[in-house]
Amino acid sequence: SSAENVIGYLGRIHPERNPELWLASIEKLNLTRQDFKCVIAGSGLNEEKFIAELINLLGPNRVSFKGHVSANQLENFWNEITILLSTSGIESYGLAIREAILRGKKCVAVTSVGARDAKENFGEAITLTQLDPSSIAQSIAIEIEAKKTNLNLEGIRNKQEILNALYVTELVNSWR
């Protein structure tokens, strides 16, 4: 069911975060499969147009708009999504990406400094893609399929826990 695959958008809805590319990628994905929903957590200059276009594409039942989320509401967002899609080409640190990985979520991101850095640390948890809707849609489809056929979840979870422990230490140190 579509509830199993939930693609998340997190952050400001602003041109520098490439919301148009995000929408174009979802549009491409929707041409080949409709077994997903989208959850948007963020606000900004372009939010009304962005949400209207997304609802126009997928229909109101497949779109959930949370607006700007506070730290404690963020927990619900992470619990709801299965894949974070980041189309921002200028993530210097990629905080949302790292947070997604930390919570065991898959992440599809366009290549940026932060995304590349996360990829080096977390490998398979993140898929880097080109700034191209078809490539992004294909990457998401691959993640959805991988989730269906992935029987070795235990091994990945254990690896994730080790990575998480390392990551938490790294993150805490980076705040000092």
Side-chain angles (χ1 to χ4, degrees):
S1 79
S2 60
E4 289 166 18
N5 305 306
V6 183
I7 301 163
Y9 179 106
L10 177 63
R12 288 185 313 136
I13 301 169
H14 186 277
E16 71 183 26
R17 301 190 72 88
N18 261 335
E20 293 301 323
L21 176 62
W22 202 95
L23 285 169
S25 305
I26 294 298
E27 185 174 10
K28 279 275 188 232
L29 181 65
N30 197 52
L31 293 175
T32 55
R33 64 190 315 147
Q34 292 78 45
D35 60 343
F36 68 92
K37 291 180 179 177
C38 292
V39 175
I40 311 300
S43 59
L45 298 170
N46 302 55
E47 74 180 68
E48 281 180 22
K49 181 173 180 277
F50 180 78
I51 298 303
E53 283 180 31
L54 190 58
I55 289 172
N56 192 35
L57 270 178
L58 305 180
N61 296 334
R62 289 170 62 203
V63 178
S64 168
F65 178 54
K66 303 201 167 306
H68 177 77
V69 290
S70 65
N72 48 351
Q73 289 170 311
L74 202 50
E75 200 61 45
N76 295 337
F77 171 78
W78 291 121
N79 289 336
E80 254 178 89
I81 73 159
T82 51
I83 297 172
L84 179 75
L85 173 57
S86 170
T87 50
S88 176
I90 53 162
E91 287 297 329
S92 54
Y93 192 63
L95 211 56
I97 293 168
R98 285 163 177 262
E99 178 105 354
I101 293 165
L102 181 61
R103 289 164 184 274
K105 304 297 177 183
K106 282 289 185 178
C107 195
V108 174
V110 299
T111 306
S112 64
V113 177
R116 209 177 291 123
D117 189 37
K119 178 75 181 168
E120 276 175 30
N121 290 316
F122 301 107
E124 69 205 42
I126 179 169
T127 302
L128 293 182
T129 182
Q130 303 304 310
L131 281 156
D132 163 62
S134 297
S135 310
I136 294 170
Q138 196 177 359
S139 296
I140 296 169
I142 290 167
E143 289 304 349
I144 289 173
E145 287 307 317
K147 203 181 106 229
K148 279 187 186 165
T149 56
N150 200 342
L151 301 173
N152 183 26
L153 278 175
E154 212 42 52
I156 288 176
R157 269 199 207 105
N158 293 342
K159 184 179 168 201
Q160 188 66 43
E161 276 165 25
I162 296 164
L163 282 174
N164 287 354
L166 293 169
Y167 167 65
V168 170
T169 311
E170 180 195 324
L171 188 63
V172 169
N173 288 339
S174 76
W175 286 333
R176 288 193 175 135

